[in-house]
Amino acid sequence: MRTQVAIIGAGPAGLLLGQLLSRAGIDNIILERSSADHVLSRVRAGVLEGGTVALLDEAGCADRLHAEGLVHNGIEIAFSGECHRIDLKRHSGRSVTVYGQTEVTRDLMEARAALGRPTIYEAANVELHEFDTAAPYVTFTREDITERIDADFIAGCDGFHGISRRSVPTAAFSVFERVYPFGWLGVLADVPPAADELIYARHARGFALCSMRSPTRSRYYIQTDAADKVEMWTDDAFWDELRRRVPADAADRVVTGPSLEKSMAQLRSFVAEPMRFGRLFLCGDAAHIVPPTGAKGLNLAASDVHYLFGAIRDYFDSRSEAALDTYSARALARVWKAERFSWWMTAALHNLPEQGAFGERLQIAELDYLTHSDAAASVLAENYVGLPY
Ligand code: FAD
Ligand code: PHB
């Protein structure tokens, strides 16, 4: 097979890039290791920045998002038994949209199917070749037969555990990483949310987050030990622990029910630099990971796609390589600001095992300042709604 852009991975990054390229008349093939059902079964992010929504609009797949997404103008920060609202709209002029990653993925998959563009699911043994030359290609096996796709470019959109970054010699890039000594246990349940907006709660027992997917579906998280396994947490134990960590009036409003899904996520900050190797471009989690506290993972994948799509379009429109040459630097400048924000929000809200009593007092002071200073609230709001592209 021959295409202009071979895209590895049908997560949000790969599907969004594919959709934008297809609409611009640029041929692309997506190769995905898993089945479509498996991709859709992974419950992950829930908060979209305005820039991400605008890109989904540009991709022509935001109708359901506009109809069903929940526009939020603020978030609650809870500590010392009380909730404090940060008015995102007042401080930044912008809002965020609560709409699950699963739904974003479903909309993108349907839009791709409607355009008749190919996605090869359950592609095994994907390998990247010759991407340091002008003639890169990808091989994979399907039903035990090895196939080959020749392309002008390869977009590595295959997430943190993907093959694209691992195909690059380690000497060709630098890695910056912090692994946190705790994880998040998430529960999805068909119960009405405890509040109209998200509650990010700091508690001596650990962080808790009250989020949602719709007026009848809630998503909750609690900080757990990094070594905890999902099986160690019954639904009842989860609900009890969640209610201990949020202020009493919010706890009273938590409606419990059987979990539809329950999963653990390890918290990690990670950046691989650069994001380009010849004709291979990394995009999204393949190049960087943030802890989910700032809701930035999916949104960063979208901003990478924005830069990469523009650069590839320029190349095919006018054979200009200028934007391809600056892709990595432009994407990384935004990535690092989101890394900083996600790290800061994680440190401000989690029980950090080594911080001691002094660190705890600083944490309370930080949150007290954040929720009582317009200047501090503006900094949070500007970052939370998403920095400009
Ligand atoms: P992914 O969504 O990881 O997609 C990559 C795709 O590539 C996958 O479909 C994968 O199957 C495929 N792939 C992998 N290897 C290969 C291969 N060798 N060949 C072909 N295909 C391959 N962000 C938030 O903002 N809030 C959250 O609550 C949140 N929770 C998360 C929980 C977990 C467990 C994880 C892992 C991430 C979470 N994130 C969260 C981050 C957010 O979901 C990601 O930033 C987002 O999914 C990135 O999209 P992506 O397309 O870059 O990568
Ligand atoms: C979610 O709803 O899954 C969610 C929301 C906000 C975050 C992280 C996850 O910061």
Side-chain angles (χ1 to χ4, degrees), residues 72-237:
H72 281 200
N73 293 322
I75 57 170
E76 300 275 353
I77 301 286
F79 63 100
S80 307
E82 279 178 42
C83 276
H84 304 262
R85 182 168 191 264
I86 307 260
D87 190 329
L88 299 172
K89 184 87 180 175
R90 179 166 76 85
H91 287 296
S92 71
R94 307 179 68 186
S95 26
V96 293
T97 303
V98 173
Y99 190 70
Q101 177 167 334
T102 321
E103 305 312 307
V104 172
T105 308
R106 188 187 308 278
D107 294 345
L108 287 164
M109 282 180 176
E110 282 176 8
R112 188 168 179 85
L115 289 182
R117 303 307 314 159
T119 307
I120 299 170
Y121 287 100
E122 299 180 71
N125 307 315
V126 173
E127 284 179 31
L128 286 57
H129 309 269
E130 306 281 334
F131 50 80
D132 52 350
T133 74
Y137 65 98
V138 180
T139 54
F140 64 100
T141 52
R142 181 163 44 169
E143 287 161 11
D144 291 334
I145 296 170
T146 300
E147 301 186 45
R148 168 175 169 152
I149 304 175
D150 288 279
D152 294 292
F153 299 108
I154 302 174
C157 302
D158 48 353
F160 183 66
H161 300 287
I163 189 68
S164 299
R165 190 184 67 253
R166 282 188 284 127
S167 305
V168 179
T170 47
F173 62 93
S174 309
V175 162
F176 304 87
E177 184 169 33
R178 177 163 299 181
V179 180
Y180 301 86
F182 42 78
W184 278 19
L185 175 64
V187 160
L188 187 73
D190 269 336
V191 292
D196 293 339
E197 295 177 337
L198 272 60
I199 304 175
Y200 288 87
R202 183 237 175 239
H203 190 278
R205 296 179 66 88
F207 170 74
L209 171 60
C210 308
S211 182
M212 66 191 74
R213 291 291 178 269
S214 76
T216 56
R217 183 168 284 189
S218 301
R219 178 71 165 163
Y220 290 104
Y221 297 94
I222 56 171
Q223 174 185 354
T224 61
D225 222 68
D228 277 14
K229 299 273 173 285
V230 179
E231 306 74 61
M232 294 161 66
W233 286 87
T234 62
D235 285 1
D236 285 346

